[in-house]
Amino acid sequence: MDEADVVSIAELLDERRYLLDVACWMLGSAGEAECVVDEVYRRWYGLSGAARREIARPRSWLARSAGRSCLSRLALVERSGDTAFEAGAEGVEEEVEVEVEVEVEVSRVLLDALGCLSPDERARASLRVRRSDPVAPWEHDALVRAVGRACLDGDAGHLVSLLCPDVTAFFDGGGKVRALSRPVHGGREVAQSLLTLLARRPRTALTAQSVNGRTGLVARYGRQVAAVISLDVADRRVIQVWVILNPDKLRSWNQP
């Protein structure tokens, strides 16, 4: 588990909002700001895990990266509106344009790779659930609610006891928030990742609700749904955890 990417939902949402504010202030456009922030997070995930761990203040790194992206975009806009630049200046701006285009293309590739499973991974996960002994709906509901209480209480020992020793957790951030980009394996590791993500902070809440027709967990920060969690249960324990953090996939949960 990469500790550099384990943050609470409060920090996760505050960070993205801060970056959006910075980009919107520089560009004067909420839509352009969204594009910049998405690009910055994809650049973050383009770093190796070791490189991310060396960054002591990720929010500052992301803010600087957002600032550079905004300046690059402003330079391109200025160039398109003024044909009187000297040859040397034009050469510098062309390099900026090429660099931005390359970064955007790399970001698209990274976005496709993040926050989703390959067909083979999905097939293996589905097969594991089918091979396990199913539980009654009331048993599923009771176990999910117990997991929620353990997370709220910060009770790592009890939470581990509710998980299979070889449980796997998948985190879908879509490359749009600073979330775990790889599955987490093992009872203690999954428990720690959930406790960190769902840590109690002011304005945070965790409730049991229907998710895809079964009881799941919904985490809110203020009035915004920040995470939707589905749990696969078998043999009276959680065998898989699916955490949706991608803002795009949570839009339906945040409709007025």
Side-chain angles (χ1 to χ4, degrees):
M1 183 169 63
D2 192 344
E3 298 294 337
D5 288 333
V6 182
V7 297
S8 68
I9 59 170
E11 182 179 350
L12 184 150
L13 263 65
D14 279 343
E15 178 181 272
R16 182 173 174 87
R17 287 173 181 169
Y18 171 73
L19 296 176
L20 286 170
D21 287 343
V22 169
C24 192
W25 175 77
M26 294 185 69
L27 299 176
S29 167
E32 286 291 315
E34 286 275 359
C35 293
V36 165
V37 172
D38 288 350
E39 178 183 321
V40 166
Y41 276 115
R42 293 193 295 268
R43 194 176 299 159
W44 167 264
Y45 284 112
L47 302 174
S48 66
R52 291 199 298 270
R53 286 190 293 272
E54 291 178 357
I55 299 173
R57 299 177 63 187
R59 180 181 293 201
S60 296
W61 185 95
L62 292 165
R64 288 194 298 271
S65 184
R68 288 193 295 269
S69 293
C70 290
L71 291 174
S72 296
R73 287 171 180 261
L74 291 171
L76 294 177
V77 171
E78 184 178 358
R79 180 175 182 273
S80 65
D82 188 350
T83 58
F85 287 114
E86 294 181 358
E90 288 180 353
V92 171
E93 289 172 0
E94 286 174 0
E95 290 180 4
V96 172
E97 183 174 5
V98 170
E99 180 182 355
V100 171
E101 289 176 351
V102 170
E103 288 179 348
V104 170
E105 182 59 32
V106 171
S107 296
R108 288 171 181 163
V109 174
L110 288 171
L111 180 59
D112 290 339
L114 289 170
C116 59
L117 301 176
S118 69
D120 287 343
E121 288 174 319
R122 287 197 183 100
R124 286 196 296 270
S126 177
L127 181 61
R128 183 183 183 192
V129 174
R130 291 199 302 269
R131 285 179 173 175
S132 302
D133 292 334
V135 298
W138 68 267
E139 291 179 299
H140 178 98
D141 179 86
L143 184 56
V144 171
R145 291 179 185 275
V147 168
R149 286 193 297 272
C151 289
L152 288 174
D153 295 339
D155 190 341
H158 183 47
L159 182 56
V160 170
S161 72
L162 301 172
L163 308 175
C164 282
D166 60 345
V167 62
T168 300
F170 304 91
F171 297 82
D172 179 1
K176 294 177 177 287
V177 291
R178 189 160 55 91
L180 288 166
S181 57
R182 293 186 178 182
V184 177
H185 303 285
R188 294 190 179 279
E189 291 76 10
V190 169
Q192 185 57 51
S193 67
L194 290 177
L195 290 174
T196 302
L197 178 71
L198 303 173
R200 279 192 172 182
R201 296 287 190 277
R203 302 174 58 210
T204 61
L206 181 67
T207 58
Q209 293 182 224
S210 177
V211 177
N212 297 326
R214 298 187 303 175
T215 303
L217 298 173
V218 177
R220 288 177 172 81
Y221 181 56
R223 296 184 178 181
Q224 182 176 354
V225 172
V228 173
I229 304 172
S230 299
L231 300 99
D232 291 330
V233 176
D235 305 321
R236 295 183 175 82
R237 287 191 180 184
V238 176
I239 60 174
Q240 288 174 165
V241 181
W242 308 81
V243 184
I244 304 299
L245 297 161
N246 186 340
D248 293 344
K249 293 184 179 180
L250 295 175
R251 282 177 182 169
S252 61
W253 287 85
N254 286 305
Q255 294 296 328

